[in-house]
Each structure stands twice: as C-alpha cells, then as structure tokens.
Amino acid sequence: MEIFFMLGIVVAMALAALVTDDAKRLGTINSFAHIVISGLAVKVVYHVICIGEGVHIGKIFYIDGLSAFFIFAISILNVASSLYSIEYIHRELSEGLISVKKMKTYYALFNLFALSMFLVVMFNNMGLVWVAIEMTTLASAFLVGFHNDKASIEAAWKYIIICSVGIVLALFGTILFYYAAAFQGCARTLNWTDMVKVASKLNPQIVKTAFLFILVGY
C-alpha cells in the first residue's frame, strides 16, 4: 500500500501547486511531502530487500530489489531538490524574474516529473515503462525551458530532440521483445513477470538486439 500513498502524495502536491500562491509555504509543504515519501520508500526497501518479498499489485505494479533501490534513490533526490527549491523559487519570485503563475507551474511540473520517475521503476509492463519515460521527458523539457528566454528554449528543444531519438530506439527494442515472445508462442504480454517465465524459450539473437536498442535508447 505504500506505493499508492507515495503516488497519491505526489499527485496531491501537483494539484496543490495550482491553488497556492505563497511560494515559501508551498515550497515548505512540498519538501515535507517528499520527506514523508522518502520515509515510505524506506519501508518499501525494508519489505523488499530485508524481508525478501517483492511487491506485486495486480499485473500493473511490481517492485523487486532493483526497483526498491531506485525508488529510494529517487525519493532522496526529490527531497534534496525540493529543499533547494524553497529559497531558489522564492528569490526568483521576489526579484521579479518569475511570476506567481510560473512559480505554481514549477511546483506542478516538479511533482509530475517525480511521479513519472516513480512510475518508471514501479510498472511491471515494458510498454507502460516506455510511456512513463516519455512522461519524464515531457515534464522535464518544460522545466529545462522554464524561463522562456532564448537560451533555455534552445536548450529545451535540443533536449527534446535527443530524448526523442532515444525513445524511438527504446520503442523499437520493446517491440522486438514482444515479437520474440509472440513468435515463440510463449507470451502475448510485455509484463516483466511473464517474460521472465519464458525467457529460456526466446530467440537469443532477437533478445540481444532488443536489449541493445533499449540500452542505447534509454
């Protein structure tokens, strides 16, 4: 249940950013929320690594040891970023470099980015992982071009182009994985838990090619 609380808190903070005009208050609440999320991440790590039980919720979410490690790492980075953002955004706002609307947009995008990163390591389905990574690209692209000046807009477009090339390569690798499973009649799903069961039956050449495309793409 911890992962639902984690995702729910992030979504709540993204929505809260749209209705709060006080930069310092919003930043403080945002930091506190991510500290709570990091505490929940510790519980997930303990459950998965120390107890040795993966978190399996339906066919959508599956968290193993590697997922738990990255959930913890993402949560710690979010805490550090949210703490730094309090004074950073307040100073930008007080100096007139950004408007209240931009401040609210920043915190909304901050939490959408955090949400998409969590989903990447929580999803069991490779197709959904691809969608979540595309979400990280979209959210972070707006953050890169946050100030809307010439330099930031140029950087955002370069970032989008580079990420788009990678995401296309990763999509092709994902399709190859599905083809390898479907061709052998082993599985018609992109769930990691289902693919692992039939891994020994998959064409090794196709799997290696798919892995290379996914590795380079992501």
Side-chain angles (χ1 to χ4, degrees):
M1 290 299 294
E2 286 84 2
I3 66 172
F4 289 125
F5 283 117
M6 293 170 66
L7 298 177
I9 292 171
V10 176
V11 172
M13 287 310 306
L15 296 175
L18 302 176
V19 298
T20 307
D21 295 333
D22 190 320
K24 275 214 165 182
R25 178 183 297 176
L26 179 57
T28 302
I29 295 172
N30 187 63
S31 295
F32 178 75
H34 283 283
I35 291 172
V36 173
I37 290 172
S38 67
L40 294 171
V42 171
K43 288 190 66 176
V44 172
V45 170
Y46 176 78
H47 185 84
V48 174
I49 296 180
C50 297
I51 298 180
E53 295 180 1
V55 179
H56 198 170
I57 303 175
K59 292 187 176 182
I60 298 178
F61 296 103
Y62 180 71
I63 300 175
D64 57 10
L66 183 62
S67 300
F69 169 79
F70 278 110
I71 287 172
F72 178 71
I74 292 168
S75 67
I76 295 301
L77 288 173
N78 287 341
V79 169
S81 300
S82 65
L83 289 172
Y84 181 82
S85 294
I86 297 175
E87 287 299 325
Y88 174 76
I89 293 299
H90 178 70
R91 185 175 64 252
E92 293 264 304
L93 186 61
S94 61
E95 293 177 359
L97 299 175
I98 61 173
S99 63
V100 173
K101 183 179 179 181
K102 290 286 289 183
M103 177 272 295
K104 294 161 74 171
T105 301
Y106 170 83
Y107 280 110
L109 289 171
F110 181 100
N111 284 286
L112 287 175
F113 187 39
L115 174 67
S116 59
M117 287 192 293
F118 280 129
L119 290 176
V120 167
V121 296
M122 290 180 180
F123 277 145
N124 184 28
N125 186 283
M126 283 193 287
L128 292 177
V129 169
W130 184 88
V131 172
I133 289 182
E134 184 65 13
M135 285 175 59
T136 67
T137 300
L138 294 174
S140 55
F142 284 108
L143 289 171
V144 171
F146 180 69
H147 284 289
N148 289 333
D149 54 24
K150 183 179 179 181
S152 61
I153 292 175
E154 181 181 351
W157 275 112
K158 290 179 179 178
Y159 176 75
I160 290 172
I161 291 170
I162 292 171
C163 290
S164 297
V165 172
I167 210 75
V168 169
L169 293 175
L171 177 61
F172 185 66
T174 303
I175 293 171
L176 281 178
F177 257 121
Y178 179 78
Y179 171 76
F183 182 76
Q184 296 294 332
C186 301
R188 294 190 179 276
T189 175
L190 284 171
N191 289 345
W192 288 108
T193 48
D194 294 328
M195 297 286 281
V196 167
K197 296 176 183 177
V198 298
S200 60
K201 300 178 182 179
L202 303 183
N203 186 311
Q205 296 304 318
I206 297 177
V207 170
K208 288 178 183 178
T209 304
F211 172 77
L212 288 174
F213 273 104
I214 290 175
L215 178 64
V216 173
Y218 285 146

